[in-house]
Amino acid sequence: MAGQPPAGQPFPDALQEGETPAPHPLLAPVLGFLGRWRGLGQGGYPTLDGDFAYAQEVSFGHDGRPFLRYEARAWLLDADGAPLRPAARESGWWRLQDDGRVEALITQPTGITEILTGRAEDGVVDLATHTVALTPTAKEVTATRRRYTLADADADADADADQATHGDTFTFVHDLAAVGQPLQHHLSATLRRAAGQSTRPASSWNSSVQ
């Protein structure tokens, strides 16, 4: 029937395990990353004028299908830790496959799209370049590697297994090969779950800067 669609999003993304919709079973290895995260990082590269500090906000959500929606934005900080100017933004998808395999698509407004493949297991997602696509005016990027590690991923083997995949902190390390430089360290950050984001449902248990 013709007419205006109802107001609001009828299928909002879930940012916590206890929210509707229920996560697809293939998302089990990455459920610990659901939610909004904020933190600080350091970066550098041979082609830049020195190292830099930045702040970052990242979110992961799902709509019940076997992929995570990923969004990240960063801003540079001055020597006193005050916001200096906007920096990187990117968005994309983590597509989960059998046995914890991951296919990731990440797009940046600088004209770069990365397709990465890797694995998610034991609270760690390790992704490496499969393909990089560039717009005609984008800077050359030939390869990247991204590693996301939940803080409890290396917990003692005798610890509760659930705690090994539902920490409130994760670290991010980004290696980059660009503008004629070989693959090398570019960024590292530590992000913490944003206030109000619980790791468990309340009913029972309440990126690159360029």
Side-chain angles (χ1 to χ4, degrees):
M1 181 176 181
Q4 293 296 317
Q9 167 55 257
F11 304 107
D13 285 349
L15 295 178
Q16 300 181 63
E17 286 184 63
E19 295 180 344
T20 301
H24 192 282
L26 287 178
L27 294 182
V30 296
L31 290 180
F33 290 95
L34 285 176
R36 292 188 177 89
W37 306 78
R38 299 186 180 98
L40 301 175
Q42 295 285 330
Y45 208 66
T47 59
L48 300 177
D49 295 329
D51 294 344
F52 54 87
Y54 68 97
Q56 189 172 37
E57 182 174 276
V58 175
S59 68
F60 295 95
H62 73 88
D63 66 2
R65 292 179 284 178
F67 53 80
L68 289 188
R69 173 189 54 82
Y70 161 78
E71 292 187 4
R73 63 188 304 171
W75 51 98
L76 296 180
L77 302 175
D78 65 18
D80 297 320
L84 188 61
R85 62 175 175 82
R89 297 190 68 166
E90 54 186 34
S91 62
W93 312 93
W94 288 5
R95 303 178 65 240
L96 272 292
Q97 311 296 315
D98 292 335
D99 303 321
R101 290 177 292 115
V102 183
E103 299 173 351
L105 300 84
I106 299 176
T107 300
Q108 303 164 16
T110 50
I112 300 164
T113 296
E114 301 175 40
I115 298 178
L116 308 103
T117 58
R119 295 190 61 80
E121 56 186 349
D122 300 327
V124 178
V125 177
D126 200 341
L127 303 170
T129 298
H130 175 75
T131 303
V132 178
L134 306 173
T135 64
T137 58
K139 292 183 179 179
E140 178 197 35
V141 172
T142 54
T144 67
R145 182 183 178 188
R146 296 164 178 256
R147 185 176 176 89
Y148 305 77
T149 304
L150 288 168
D152 295 328
D154 297 323
D156 186 274
D158 293 331
D160 186 295
D162 186 67
Q163 289 301 314
T165 55
H166 292 82
D168 284 325
T169 302
F170 81 79
T171 59
F172 169 63
V173 177
H174 184 191
D175 296 338
L176 175 69
V179 291
Q181 297 292 321
L183 187 67
Q184 60 193 285
H185 179 75
H186 177 38
L187 303 170
S188 59
T190 299
L191 295 95
R192 293 177 173 80
R193 200 177 297 275
Q197 294 284 312
S198 64
T199 60
R200 299 169 174 258
S203 60
S204 59
W205 18 276
N206 268 13
S207 49
S208 57
V209 178
Q210 298 180 29

